[in-house]
Amino acid sequence: MEKNIIELITPVFFVLIVVELLYSVFGDKPFYRFKDSINNLSAGIFMQIFTVFITLALMAVYSWVYAKFGILNISNDSWIGWVFCFVLADFFYYWYHRFGHEINIFWASHVAHHQSEDYNFTVALRQGVTQNTFSLPFYLPLALMGFPPIMFLLCIQINFAYQFWLHTRAIPKLGIFEWVFNTPSQHRVHHGRDPKYIDKNYAGTFAIWDRMFGSYKEEEEEPIFGIVKPMQTWSPLWTQFHYFEELFLLSWKTKYWKDKFLVWIKPPGWKPKDLGESVVPPEIDRSTYEKFNTHIPYTLLAYSITQFFFGLGASMVYIEFKKELPLFEMCALGFYVLWTLWNIGAIFELKTSGIVSELIRLASIAALTYVYPFDFTHVEKLTAVLPVETLQYLPQLMKQVALISFFILGGFLVSQKRFFSIKGYTPKTV
């Protein structure tokens, strides 16, 4: 399969994001905050870039189990096989998702998806970079049953694509439809951090699993969104890996060997008895609750917006053409996209280190175009989209954009009263 379904319909996702954003602006609905949405999309881009190195290995494992141990020989031409595969894939997704909330090591891989304190279509794209690795064991029974790899892959991708529309505040309850299918109302509950909403509504496509296994909760008032210990950072790296670090530190600090192991398989919030009380989700005072935010000068805001769209465009090229790009160009493009997004998060937190890192990134791009002969004219799919002259000019354009950006950002930094004068925020959870 040359391209997966998620990649094919990604443009549709962005169209829907724009539609919801316009509805939010003209309908005076507080659905979007710029920094939070950028952070959501950055997490999604991180996941897509890392997926290149993970998905092939995971599908190889599934295919090996299917070839060696598959009990049945289900044909790709069997419509009954497709129906059963989709329903069973959704069933196993329910259990992966439930374990992802009830066991620490799985929660560490999934927590990034729940960190946003807003709820809009960009949250659907906010994913953990390691969650595919942790989900694979739950799907291997499908391989054992004999569902072909291509059938499984398409079914699980359709399942994920279905879940995109669930991430919105704009759609109300949908009546009888909710008895069978998952809906935005049910999924809003799942993203709530009110104590009564936590660990509810794990469904992917079919809501029946929650009703069958006792995890269903109807939406009453709209939830407060996010996690029990809200993130206090815009760093895309910290959001991905902070909970792994938290578990490692708990395991390291406890003096009981049994607890060093239990830390990883206990529910989120659990602590060894020698390290204090376990975390109990607190009630939220809606009259005093405030979302995490930072305030930055308009110059930095405009700069960050511009660089994010450059990074977004580069990530789209990476996703679309990664298999056709030469290895060095592919690795360099992925690395610089990730570096760009990390720097933007640091700039949102007013960190001088982030601005200096961004200046180094820009200078390295300009220097790299001098010493390495980038050549995109051999990428057949690119030549079908852009004229050869444009492709030949791309390295020069990269250098020019990097140098202009360098002088704009450098000028801002020098304009401060002291060179290292910008107060920064420390990434943390509260």
Side-chain angles (χ1 to χ4, degrees), residues 4-17 48 125 164 312 316 319:
N4 67 51
I5 290 175
I6 303 300
E7 291 179 9
L8 284 170
I9 64 176
T10 292
V12 178
F13 292 162
F14 281 100
V15 169
L16 291 174
I17 288 171
Q48 283 294 323
L125 304 181
F164 178 86
L312 181 62
M316 293 298 101
I319 293 169

Side-chain angles (χ1 to χ4, degrees), residues 286-297:
R286 293 169 181 262
S287 64
T288 59
Y289 166 73
E290 291 185 5
K291 299 175 182 180
F292 171 70
N293 197 14
T294 56
H295 302 281
I296 66 176

